[in-house]
Amino acid sequence: MKVGIIGAGPAGVSAAQVIADKGVQVTLFSGETVLPYYRPRLPELAFGNEDPDNIFMNKLEWYAENGIELRLDSKVKAFNNDFEITLEDDSQEKFDALLIATGGRPVIPGFCKRSTSKDIFPLWNYSDAIKIREKITSSKRMAIVGGGVIGIESALRAVDNNLRVTIIEKMKHLMSRNFGDKASEIIEVQLRDRNIDLLLDDSVNSIEDHNDKTLIFMEHEFNVVCDFVVLSIGAGFDTLMAADAGLKIDRQVLVDEHLQTSAPGIFAAGDIAQFARPAPCSAKESLQQGKAAGNNILAYLNKEQLQAYEVQPVPMRLKYKDFEIYSIGKVPQSDNEEKMLDSEDLKSYRGCIYEDSALAGVQMVGSNRDLRKYQEQFLLSKAWEKIKGVVHGKGSGKS
Amino acid sequence: MQKYVCDVCGYVYDPKIGDPDNGIEAGTAFADIPEDWVCPECGVGKEDFSAE
């Protein structure tokens, strides 16, 4: 029996480990030229002093030693219901089950695709991080488009590396998907106090290189002049290959509670997997889904019972030196109630969100006093049960 | 005392500081942290930490 795993991020690698552990042959296909690594380390690699060899999940020898055939620089072009994989060179390999663990891809907006600038960098993979790391050595000013957690972490690290940084965000506030207005305002004060310029509530029209600078032409405000631009706008998903194989897709590749797609014997795990409704993913969630999918693939091959998997809550959090933010669950909206626990000047904020008296969300900025207590409460709350139900398609819920 | 780094997100556990917000007092060696403790940054377990 042989299993093929498409994608060598945390989900793919942890599934490979589980499968190889039981003596089943497994081939792990990576489209990248470097060893599998942990994506959360990339901002550290791009903007900080991280050693480029330090972020790999395992040494090269570990794979063969653990019965995993690792194939780097082997992007998969297509697969089908008969578990046949086609690589870019049109060579084909056949397996007895497949795991799709291809993750996401960076959002690249139109104004970037149309731009001829040589100095726009996504921050999605290892190669991006190395390019940014090199660019920094000859730069003084950086603009980051996208004020989410990656943009903020990148800005904090870059400022410590003596760059002047501007974060450009099209919404009125940073991190508006994870924090309400009160909390975001405090986040913004904290960033400005650390010498990060914020350009909010404005959109980029175009980006052009001019002499040795890069100009960002904004919709409303003045133009931004910098040496290079980093994109941290968010993640999209490439479902074309899965759709071509006849798999049911939505925003991502659809899976049932066993992480199995609509094609028997083809499973999906990590960022690319969607239960009934999309849910946030993380490195930890990917590791866990990978393990669960790996076990279910073994069960499938042995014609045994598959185990159901349930998502865990995925918080949005960042701690960099004395800057810390945390958000889990719902944010303040018209149909819920925000109870602010406390807020010290503009230094900190702690608040809870209640839906029908159940704890539905927790946000903290600049402090995480009693966080554990609220996390535990949230895990046990009716509101989390309801969110889980919507993700797994068990309850009725707003889409 | 030996510091430990989370392989996944880079968080450094420094025994001198501990992780008081999660019940680990300053001065606690990594080996003495309970097995159900997780990285305060990204949530993975002790098994994903390496000596610095």
Side-chain angles (χ1 to χ4, degrees):
Chain A
M1 297 279 195
K2 277 170 67 177
V3 177
I5 298 182
I6 308 174
V13 173
S14 60
Q17 208 175 343
V18 157
I19 292 168
D21 212 41
K22 289 289 191 281
V24 173
Q25 269 183 276
V26 57
T27 303
L28 183 54
F29 292 96
S30 169
E32 296 192 57
T33 54
V34 293
L35 289 170
Y37 56 90
Y38 288 115
R39 201 175 301 280
R41 309 296 292 273
L42 292 181
E44 218 179 320
L45 181 58
F47 302 103
N49 301 314
E50 185 58 74
D51 179 349
D53 288 336
N54 235 6
I55 72 169
F56 298 125
M57 287 183 216
N58 303 97
K59 293 192 162 74
L60 178 61
E61 302 77 54
W62 178 88
Y63 294 89
E65 276 166 18
N66 283 275
I68 299 168
E69 188 198 355
L70 174 65
R71 303 267 289 277
L72 294 178
D73 202 10
S74 302
K75 195 160 160 62
V76 170
K77 181 156 91 162
F79 64 88
N80 62 28
N81 285 15
D82 289 323
F83 317 119
E84 283 163 344
I85 278 180
T86 307
L87 298 176
E88 293 279 323
D89 62 3
D90 286 329
S91 62
Q92 287 194 312
E93 301 186 31
K94 188 147 173 22
F95 297 90
D96 300 289
L98 295 180
L99 175 67
I100 304 165
T102 47
R105 55 161 173 75
V107 167
I108 310 284
F111 60 77
C112 291
K113 292 188 179 134
R114 289 189 295 269
S115 169
T116 54
S117 168
K118 302 271 184 296
D119 292 313
I120 302 177
F121 302 88
L123 178 52
W124 188 260
N125 60 29
Y126 186 90
S127 145
D128 294 335
I130 297 293
K131 285 185 192 139
I132 292 171
R133 190 183 173 94
E134 279 161 13
K135 183 69 192 175
I136 284 178
T137 58
S138 57
S139 303
K140 291 198 165 65
R141 295 200 59 175
M142 169 175 86
I144 300 180
V145 181
V149 72
I150 303 297
I152 291 174
E153 181 181 353
S154 300
L156 287 164
R157 291 186 180 278
V159 150
D160 272 0
N161 219 342
N162 298 314
L163 279 172
R164 282 204 51 196
V165 181
T166 303
I167 298 178
I168 295 173
E169 166 57 52
K170 105 178 148 186
M171 305 290 275
K172 201 163 150 244
H173 282 298
L174 298 182
M175 302 220 61
S176 41
R177 287 217 196 105
N178 304 104
F179 293 90
D181 288 353
K182 287 198 195 80
S184 337
E185 274 162 14
I186 295 179
I187 291 175
E188 287 149 19
V189 164
Q190 292 296 305
L191 292 173
R192 288 185 164 122
D193 276 356
R194 287 163 176 77
N195 285 323
I196 294 167
D197 292 332
L198 303 179
L199 183 40
L200 306 175
D201 203 15
D202 201 354
S203 312
V204 176
N205 272 341
S206 62
I207 301 181
E208 284 168 39
D209 285 345
H210 184 70
N211 295 337
D212 62 345
K213 293 275 174 237
T214 301
L215 268 56
I216 306 177
F217 294 94
M218 303 297 299
E219 178 73 26
H220 297 121
E221 261 297 338
F222 301 110
N223 304 324
V224 177
V225 181
C226 59
D227 295 306
F228 69 103
V229 182
V230 169
L231 303 177
S232 57
I233 295 171
F237 301 96
D238 227 318
T239 49
L240 193 54
M241 188 167 57
D244 283 347
L247 265 47
K248 286 210 176 103
I249 60 168
D250 182 37
R251 185 165 172 244
Q252 294 136 288
V253 175
L254 289 171
V255 297
D256 63 13
E257 70 271 28
H258 305 127
L259 292 158
Q260 186 161 218
T261 68
S262 55
I266 303 185
F267 294 72
D271 280 21
I272 197 60
Q274 176 183 336
F275 295 94
R277 298 290 306 144
C281 199
S282 65
K284 178 191 175 174
E285 181 66 24
S286 296
L287 287 167
Q288 290 178 326
Q289 286 188 16
K291 263 196 204 136
N295 280 314
N296 277 348
I297 288 174
L298 289 168
Y300 166 82
L301 292 173
N302 293 329
K303 298 198 188 349
E304 285 163 3
Q305 184 153 42
L306 306 181
Q307 299 300 314
Y309 178 86
E310 246 187 9
V311 292
Q312 304 270 297
V314 169
M316 173 61 71
R317 65 184 134 184
L318 173 63
K319 183 167 156 70
Y320 179 73
K321 300 197 173 165
D322 59 350
F323 178 91
E324 56 186 322
I325 57 180
Y326 179 95
S327 172
I328 198 168
K330 301 282 178 88
V331 294
Q333 271 161 349
S334 53
D335 62 350
N336 61 39
E337 198 197 337
E338 177 187 4
K339 282 207 176 99
M340 199 163 77
L341 297 170
D342 54 52
S343 167
E344 188 205 319
D345 289 339
L346 291 162
K347 287 193 176 37
S348 71
Y349 168 95
R350 294 185 318 134
C352 290
I353 308 305
Y354 291 90
E355 243 176 34
D356 302 324
S357 312
L359 182 63
V362 185
Q363 281 96 47
M364 297 201 178
V365 176
S367 158
N368 55 17
R369 195 154 50 86
D370 294 333
L371 177 57
R372 207 168 189 206
K373 172 177 108 181
Y374 290 109
Q375 277 171 327
E376 283 166 4
Q377 221 182 309
F378 175 76
L379 268 168
L380 295 168
S381 85
K382 284 203 176 71
W384 167 242
E385 279 304 309
K386 192 166 156 215
I387 294 170
K388 224 184 348 182
V390 168
V391 169
H392 287 287
K394 289 187 187 124
S396 63
K398 304 189 283 266
S399 58
Chain B
M1 278 202 227
Q2 176 76 65
K3 290 187 197 170
Y4 278 75
V5 184
C6 174
D7 294 332
V8 177
C9 76
Y11 163 80
V12 177
Y13 175 76
D14 183 351
K16 262 206 310 261
I17 303 172
D19 181 20
D21 289 328
N22 289 300
I24 312 295
E25 287 171 11
T28 309
F30 188 76
D32 296 330
I33 299 174
E35 291 312 304
D36 65 347
W37 178 81
V38 294
C39 173
E41 286 305 292
C42 72
V44 296
K46 283 182 76 177
E47 66 273 12
D48 286 307
F49 277 73
S50 307
E52 204 188 33

